[in-house]
């Protein structure tokens, strides 16, 4: 294990750009390996209900049926669901509603919006940096015992690490809000497991647990903005109190309902299986490249690479028509890291050859 201190205050020097996201890497004519949204067209059973709402937009959104559908999927009561305009809104609601927290801690490397939202609300954030030499594994003892708000991703963006559910659950305790970002939980798969391995979405026994989910990745709905929070009704009521009225549009509510059906869940599992095969192919091809290291065992729709001079290689790849995600905007990483989205095998094979040529140039 790393001998780093358990919590690290933000450095006083140059800070990572927390506002930078993969969409900033994409441009006209570039092949997109920077954004983690699945690029396939959404299925008819999803686009149909969304399109059907377009004739009834004069009416204000009513989240009742969508909330009930999401609750049923996760075996919860509807008052344990809060629908949001994308997962990112959930982080803002948490930061605004929980202004009384004294010691918020974010476990990094992870998606930067949780920390950005906390800082925008005036919270003094501490970081726990997981160690790449230990495959970014989570050790709950490294989180300060008196942290009253802890935020972690599972599977984690950008590392693609899937922490064991029992390890993440060990962070829960009375007096603490534990936020688990499961935006990519529907991309995960495990042998002999019919659902989402290591998800805490159905756990109702852990004090202070908030699970955040997104429907934009697997279903290609980033432009629609739909996600949700799962947790105790009392806690969600506090978050709902700072949410704008009618924050989730009628088309987005239709998407939430459609994605909670049995048809959607079965399709999601099939997509996760295909993704796992494509990811294994990407990892195997990367192993053929000297100097490229994939840390740990990737479990999601992206792979994190350690590659000396990655910042220069990223720029060179861009000149050759390929967009990948820089790693130095994630706390705990630096200029020698890249995140690459999993795509189909033909795209992967073409990318590997361009990457090889770029490294040899």
């Amino acid at each position: 294990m790393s001998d780093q201190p358990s919590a690290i205050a933000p450095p006083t020097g140059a800070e990572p750009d927390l506002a930078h996201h993969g969409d900033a890497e994409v441009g006209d004519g570039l092949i997109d390996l920077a954004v983690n949204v699945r690029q396939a067209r959404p299925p008819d059973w999803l686009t149909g209900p969304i399109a059907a709402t377009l004739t009834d937009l004069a009416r204000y959104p009513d989240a009742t049926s969508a909330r009930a559908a999401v609750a049923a999927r996760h075996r919860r009561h509807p008052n344990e669901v809060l629908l949001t305009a994308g997962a990112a809104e959930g982080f803002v609601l948490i930061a605004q509603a929980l202004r009384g927290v004294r010691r918020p801690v974010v476990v990094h490397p992870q998606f930067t919006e949780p920390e950005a939202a906390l800082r925008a609300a005036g919270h003094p954030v501490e970081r726990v940096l997981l160690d790449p030499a230990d495959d970014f594994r989570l050790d709950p003892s490294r989180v300060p015992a008196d942290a009253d708000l802890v935020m972690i991703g599972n599977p984690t963006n950008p590392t693609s690490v899937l922490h064991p559910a029992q390890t993440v659950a060990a962070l829960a305790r009375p007096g603490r809000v534990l936020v688990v970002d499961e935006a990519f939980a529907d991309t995960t798969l495990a042998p002999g497991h019919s659902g989402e391995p290591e998800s805490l979405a159905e756990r109702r026994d852990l004090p202070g647990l908030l699970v955040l989910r997104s429907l934009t990745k697997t279903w290609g709905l980033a432009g629609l903005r739909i996600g949700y929070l799962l947790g105790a009704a009392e806690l969600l009521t506090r978050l709902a109190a700072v949410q704008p009225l009618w924050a989730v549009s009628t088309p987005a509510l239709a998407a939430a309902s459609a994605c909670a059906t049995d048809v959607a869940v079965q399709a999601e599992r099939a997509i996760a299986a295909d993704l796992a095969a494509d990811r294994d192919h990407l990892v195997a091809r990367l192993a053929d490249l000297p100097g490229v290291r994939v840390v740990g065992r990737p479990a999601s729709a992206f792979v994190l690479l350690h590659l000396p001079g990655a910042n220069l290689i990223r720029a060179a790849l861009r000149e050759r028509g390929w967009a990948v995600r820089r790693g130095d905007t994630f706390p705990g990483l630096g200029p020698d890291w890249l995140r690459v989205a999993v795509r189909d095998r033909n795209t992967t094979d073409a990318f590997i050859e361009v990457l090889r040529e770029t490294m040899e140039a």
Side-chain angles (χ1 to χ4, degrees):
M1 298 294 294
S2 169
D3 58 359
Q4 293 173 314
S6 62
I8 302 174
T12 56
E15 274 284 89
D17 181 4
L18 301 180
H20 183 91
H21 299 295
D23 59 326
E25 309 278 1
V26 182
D28 291 341
L30 296 178
I31 299 173
D32 176 16
L33 302 186
V35 176
N36 295 324
V37 175
R38 183 167 170 263
Q39 296 182 326
R41 180 184 182 277
D44 291 343
W45 56 256
L46 176 53
T47 57
I50 294 172
T53 67
L54 301 181
T55 61
D56 194 27
L57 295 182
R59 187 179 307 178
Y60 283 95
D62 182 353
T64 304
S65 61
R67 186 166 56 243
V70 171
R73 175 188 173 171
H74 295 293
R75 306 176 194 275
R76 286 180 170 270
H77 191 277
N79 66 6
E80 296 175 332
V81 176
L82 179 63
L83 296 161
T84 59
E89 188 199 21
F91 298 124
V92 174
L93 299 181
I94 291 165
Q96 295 293 334
L98 305 183
R99 288 184 174 273
V101 297
R102 303 178 309 279
R103 193 175 187 184
V105 170
V106 179
V107 180
H108 283 291
Q110 75 146 303
F111 185 47
T112 55
E113 277 305 298
E115 178 171 330
L118 288 171
R119 291 190 178 282
H123 295 281
V125 181
E126 292 182 69
R127 298 171 181 162
V128 168
L129 302 180
L130 302 185
D131 189 352
D134 194 37
D135 291 340
F136 296 111
R137 289 189 181 94
L138 172 65
D139 177 0
S141 69
R142 298 189 62 216
V143 175
D146 62 345
D148 51 358
L149 173 62
V150 176
M151 306 181 92
I152 184 170
N154 201 39
T156 306
N157 173 17
T159 64
S160 204
V161 169
L162 182 62
H163 303 295
Q166 63 182 9
T167 304
V168 179
L171 293 171
R173 62 188 62 190
R176 169 185 290 175
V177 175
L178 170 62
V179 179
V180 183
D181 176 5
E182 291 191 0
F184 292 96
D186 60 358
T187 68
T188 60
L189 196 73
H193 197 293
S194 61
E196 301 165 342
E198 317 307 341
S199 173
L200 298 180
E202 295 184 6
R203 293 287 297 269
R204 306 176 70 205
D205 59 316
L206 298 174
L209 175 66
L210 281 176
V211 174
L212 185 143
R213 301 291 294 248
S214 171
L215 297 175
T216 65
K217 316 301 183 185
T218 290
W219 301 118
L221 299 176
L224 192 61
R225 310 310 306 144
I226 178 63
Y228 53 90
L229 286 155
L230 304 170
E234 304 92 307
L235 189 52
L236 293 185
T237 297
R238 295 175 63 186
L239 272 57
V242 298
Q243 186 178 36
L245 290 174
W246 309 295
V248 182
S249 70
T250 299
L253 293 173
S257 294
C259 290
T261 63
D262 290 341
V263 169
V265 173
Q266 291 173 11
E268 170 196 291
R269 295 294 82 210
I271 291 169
D274 291 341
L275 175 66
D278 288 339
R279 183 177 60 243
D280 289 345
H281 181 72
L282 172 59
V283 172
R285 292 301 313 275
L286 288 166
D288 294 335
L289 299 180
V292 176
R293 181 168 67 102
V294 176
V295 179
R297 183 178 179 181
S300 191
F302 44 89
V303 172
L304 183 66
L305 315 180
H306 183 266
L307 174 61
N311 55 337
L312 299 177
I313 290 172
R314 180 181 64 88
L317 285 170
R318 190 174 184 85
E319 292 180 0
R320 293 171 181 249
W322 294 80
V324 295
R325 173 66 159 88
R326 64 192 292 182
D328 60 350
T329 64
F330 293 101
L333 300 182
D336 291 335
W337 295 89
L338 295 175
R339 192 192 70 195
V340 177
V342 176
R343 302 296 189 220
D344 64 88
R345 296 187 183 198
N346 289 337
T347 301
T348 288
D349 289 342
F351 169 68
I352 292 297
E353 293 312 309
V354 173
L355 179 58
R356 186 194 308 275
E357 294 169 2
T358 304
M359 293 170 60
E360 293 174 351

